[in-house]
Amino acid sequence: MFNRAVALMDLPPGLEEKIRVCNATYTVRFGVRLRGQIQTFTGYRSVHSEHMEPVKGGIRYALGVNQDEVEALAALMTYKCALVEAPFGGSKGGLCLDPRQYEEYELEMITRRFAYELAKRDLIHPSQNVPAPDMGTGEREMSWIADQYARMNTTDINAKACVTGKPPHAGGIQGRTEATGRGVQYAIQEFFRHPSDKKKAGITGGLEGKTVVVQGLGNVGYHAAKFLSEEDGCKVIGIIERDGALVDPKGLNVEAVRNWIGKHGGVAGFADGKFVEDGSKVLEEECDILVPAALEGVINMGNAANIKAPLIVEAANGPVTAGADEILRDKGAVIIPDMYANAGGVTVSYFEWVKNLSHIRFGRMGRRQEEARHQLIVDELERLSAASEVGWELTPNFKEKYLRGAGELELVRSGLDDTMRTAYQACSKVWNERDDVTDLRTASYLVAIDKVATAYRAKGL
Ligand code: GLU
């Protein structure tokens, strides 16, 4: 995919190669005494590009983690950050283990030991390398990592900025957990604001009533499906999970399905909809929007030709293989690529990092002052109304809504929405204006690689 894009750019060959390769990958094997014996774990932290520092990217816990995967995902982080103008290079980490096989206290021991190994080599560091959650990790792991770093760096006043995705009570930011799913929603909303792009996918009308199939109801898929159905009027007609899928043309209640999975470990037995044992078949269901939000490579040479959705939104990293991408492009499907579609996570990570470095929550200084100014206008309107002969009334709720100054969550959502809109507009422009660019993925690569190349040039490389 990278090669396809750079072929359309006029980069010096040396620079092209410099950007393509991963700068460094650190492999660590460490032992933890568990259940009476020493268990050895293998972990990685790969740094793809340091054109900006710190470098940024999640840490995943999964059995399939390997060096190639971590390096590919680190590269994706470079382009993702460039695209949404988060001032970071790209990195990624992973630990080979199935977190469901361990007790919470065991996971804490493993995580702290892994964090120690990375931190002592500056692979966790507020100004060098800032991890975040990814598959199999979340707020809990991030707060262990932050604490481990703080114990090792007792005088570092910026210690909290060594990792993002922490819970709000441990230096996190409001809206980080929902951020990637929220970003997927904002990405789709922005796509729907571009009539010429909708036309390319053969989609008409607004988001209301559009049918959606989501693969994976984890953090990203759940939030995306929840917001699309509850706020935009979409119908989630299919949910694919580990043990099978649910299909209901009337639309599934995302919240209820999520609660069911929480209690029963899968979707089987859920009261509404039809249970389909071979979940992957539901990827091929007729729908308007297909949102793969879990694993890599779920849409591949084996099933791409059968995918019917005209719009595919890559909420996961790398859900469509390069071969499948070509088949889908030939069929005329539009793919909103991972580099853009799931960049909401790292965008809000950026806000969290800034918050940690500035040591103050967003909105703390201005909120009441903003409210006081709004109060002035409302008082004046009411005075004018009382003085006027006709008399007029404010719309119910207007006062309440207008008077309320923005808190941290509102500011985070506003910053995220702005970021997603601006990045989409840059990609859509290239897609629409260049005859040699026929898909959004290539357009996104062009925008992102150009920014990375500009940063390298400015450094004299
Ligand atoms: N793991 C997420 C991603 O793949 C978030 C990375 C971050 O916030 O640094 O984009």
Side-chain angles (χ1 to χ4, degrees):
M1 289 165 176
F2 175 90
N3 291 348
R4 241 171 71 80
V6 278
L8 306 175
M9 297 177 82
D10 197 15
L11 291 182
L15 182 56
E16 188 182 311
E17 185 59 12
K18 171 71 204 81
I19 297 176
R20 180 188 293 112
V21 298
C22 244
N23 289 3
T25 303
Y26 174 67
T27 307
V28 58
R29 296 183 186 88
F30 59 89
V32 182
R33 182 171 288 279
L34 296 172
R35 305 173 198 178
Q37 62 178 40
I38 295 175
Q39 283 195 35
T40 304
F41 297 91
T42 306
Y44 304 90
R45 186 77 182 160
S46 177
V47 175
H48 172 256
S49 175
E50 292 150 290
H51 65 289
M52 285 200 182
E53 285 176 317
V55 293
K56 189 100 191 66
I59 290 182
R60 65 169 51 178
Y61 284 1
L63 278 177
V65 163
N66 61 67
Q67 182 168 343
D68 270 353
E69 182 192 72
V70 168
E71 291 190 350
L73 292 168
L76 187 56
M77 284 311 302
T78 296
Y79 308 125
K80 205 185 288 192
C81 292
L83 188 60
V84 294
E85 299 187 334
F88 304 124
S91 181
K92 197 80 171 197
L95 196 55
C96 275
L97 93 174
D98 176 1
R100 281 164 306 176
Q101 303 306 318
Y102 296 91
E103 302 284 335
E104 184 164 13
Y105 79 93
E106 294 175 323
L107 278 173
E108 179 173 351
M109 278 175 17
I110 300 165
T111 303
R112 283 185 181 276
R113 183 61 206 271
F114 186 34
Y116 168 80
E117 295 292 339
L118 297 182
K120 78 174 180 200
R121 290 171 181 86
D122 289 345
L123 291 166
I124 298 178
H125 190 286
S127 69
Q128 297 290 298
N129 197 324
V130 182
D134 201 82
M135 249 168 61
T137 59
E139 287 189 340
R140 183 182 66 175
E141 287 73 15
M142 300 308 117
S143 79
W144 291 332
I145 293 174
D147 186 62
Q148 184 63 33
Y149 179 87
R151 287 186 190 192
M152 295 165 67
N153 298 274
T154 48
T155 55
D156 185 349
I157 194 170
N158 293 320
K160 280 203 161 58
C162 76
V163 65
T164 58
K166 303 176 292 290
H169 60 265
I173 194 167
Q174 299 291 331
R176 174 60 184 88
T177 304
E178 65 166 47
T180 313
R182 184 61 83 183
V184 170
Q185 176 198 27
Y186 290 160
I188 297 174
Q189 286 177 350
E190 186 58 18
F191 172 85
F192 271 79
R193 288 189 198 103
H194 290 249
S196 63
D197 298 0
K198 279 192 341 190
K199 207 163 147 211
K200 290 184 207 242
I203 289 181
T204 53
L207 261 177
E208 178 82 37
K210 290 284 179 291
T211 52
V212 178
V213 169
V214 188
Q215 188 249 348
L217 212 63
N219 181 42
V220 180
Y222 158 68
H223 282 106
K226 176 181 164 74
F227 299 144
L228 286 168
S229 59
E230 290 177 7
E231 298 173 12
D232 295 314
C234 292
K235 264 201 294 185
V236 178
I237 59 157
I239 293 178
I240 308 168
E241 260 294 321
R242 238 179 276 266
D243 65 324
L246 293 170
V247 180
D248 188 348
K250 294 195 301 296
L252 291 152
N253 181 330
V254 176
E255 200 62 47
V257 177
R258 169 89 164 182
N259 287 338
W260 182 266
I261 298 171
K263 282 199 200 98
H264 303 89
V267 290
F270 185 71
D272 300 325
K274 185 174 77 173
F275 176 71
V276 180
E277 204 165 327
D278 182 3
S280 65
K281 280 277 157 267
V282 178
L283 289 167
E284 299 167 15
E285 195 80 11
E286 295 267 1
C287 65
D288 298 309
I289 309 173
L290 175 61
V291 186
L295 297 169
E296 284 127 51
V298 287
I299 301 176
N300 46 47
M301 301 286 270
N303 61 3
N306 304 330
I307 302 286
K308 297 178 195 68
L311 180 63
I312 299 160
V313 186
E314 296 185 333
N317 286 318
V320 177
T321 62
D325 189 70
E326 195 176 331
I327 298 175
L328 290 163
R329 256 186 284 125
D330 289 348
K331 277 173 55 147
V334 167
I335 302 177
I336 303 187
D338 45 9
M339 176 195 312
Y340 166 69
N342 70 36
V346 76
T347 300
V348 178
S349 275
Y350 168 40
F351 302 155
E352 180 177 335
W353 181 73
V354 170
K355 174 186 177 181
N356 293 151
L357 293 177
S358 59
H359 299 268
I360 188 163
R361 113 178 103 73
F362 289 107
R364 181 158 175 183
M365 301 298 280
R367 184 175 185 170
R368 302 300 164 197
Q369 199 258 357
E370 186 191 349
E371 287 182 5
R373 289 173 72 91
H374 287 181
Q375 185 73 54
L376 273 179
I377 295 189
V378 168
D379 289 349
E380 194 60 10
L381 283 174
E382 284 179 335
R383 190 189 65 75
L384 287 171
S385 165
S388 106
E389 278 181 15
V390 231
W392 27 274
E393 259 176 48
L394 297 175
T395 318
N397 286 340
F398 166 81
K399 230 167 115 170
E400 203 179 279
K401 280 210 236 147
Y402 186 67
L403 281 180
R404 218 163 61 88
E408 187 169 79
L409 184 60
E410 284 97 338
L411 291 170
V412 163
R413 286 182 181 161
S414 145
L416 176 59
D417 195 6
D418 184 59
T419 303
M420 296 308 290
R421 289 186 198 216
T422 313
Y424 186 86
Q425 286 157 14
C427 301
S428 169
K429 191 164 179 293
V430 172
W431 187 25
N432 282 289
E433 288 180 2
R434 281 185 63 158
D435 293 338
D436 54 352
V437 177
T438 51
D439 64 299
L440 255 180
R441 190 189 313 276
T442 307
S444 311
Y445 266 107
L446 288 185
V447 175
I449 297 171
D450 187 52
K451 291 195 181 176
V452 178
T454 309
Y456 272 121
R457 278 201 204 98
K459 281 179 170 230
L461 243 185

